[in-house]
Amino acid sequence: MQIGTATGFKRLVFLSSNLSGSTIDKYDMDEILYECLKLVLRRYKQYHNHTFGLVGAAIATKEFEPIFETAMQTSDGKWKHAERCVIDRFKYRHGEIPESAILINTLSPCFAYMDDRYGESCSDLISENGIKRVYSGIEDYTQDEHGKSGNLDF
């Protein structure tokens, strides 16, 4: 994963091995990433009808145990991305997301327009919720190059 900063937000930071200032170390984040992958696999095996996506996400903080979620399809056929699902679940359980939060996901957050996505881009959602650090298993190169200039600079 490359290190980059959000050009429009100046708050969202993609992490690799540079975790200065974080209370969660790289080993912990790799373990959480592994748990995200296991959740994706469990849901895929459990629901063969693809109502759950193949992306997993977690929010880890120093205040609470990590919360995990996958993407899911809504009743109108739109996809609620894993980042939105985990943010919604965290806020339902704990309220506002603390400054120490790190969003960990199997695939980097989307930033381009998508017809089949529920809500705004994940990069916008992450920034709006004050999450300053994201740790992704892999960068999504399927995002349109033109979309990168609007939200993220890799």
Side-chain angles (χ1 to χ4, degrees), residues 38-145:
K38 289 185 348 187
L39 176 61
V40 167
L41 183 59
R42 276 195 313 273
R43 291 227 172 130
Y44 180 76
K45 287 179 177 180
Q46 184 178 3
Y47 302 98
H48 298 287
N49 60 2
H50 298 286
T51 57
F52 288 92
L54 298 178
V55 175
I59 294 179
T61 70
K62 61 183 180 182
E63 295 87 1
F64 304 106
E65 289 292 316
I67 292 181
F68 298 86
E69 197 53 80
T70 62
M72 63 181 63
Q73 200 167 22
T74 62
S75 59
D76 64 355
K78 299 254 184 193
W79 281 96
K80 191 173 179 185
H81 287 190
E83 295 89 344
R84 176 174 297 282
C85 292
V86 78
I87 287 171
D88 289 350
R89 189 168 175 198
F90 187 96
K91 290 171 79 172
Y92 177 78
R93 283 190 176 179
H94 302 297
E96 290 302 308
I97 298 172
E99 192 172 308
S100 68
I102 297 175
L103 190 137
I104 300 161
N105 56 2
T106 58
L107 185 67
S108 61
C110 68
F111 49 81
Y113 174 78
M114 296 176 164
D115 284 332
D116 64 346
R117 180 184 59 228
Y118 174 87
E120 76 271 33
S121 75
C122 294
S123 59
D124 288 345
L125 179 70
I126 290 165
S127 181
E128 288 169 9
N129 280 278
I131 298 172
K132 298 177 184 175
R133 293 181 296 273
V134 173
Y135 184 75
S136 296
I138 191 167
E139 185 176 334
D140 184 358
Y141 289 102
T142 66
Q143 294 284 298
D144 182 349
E145 284 296 315

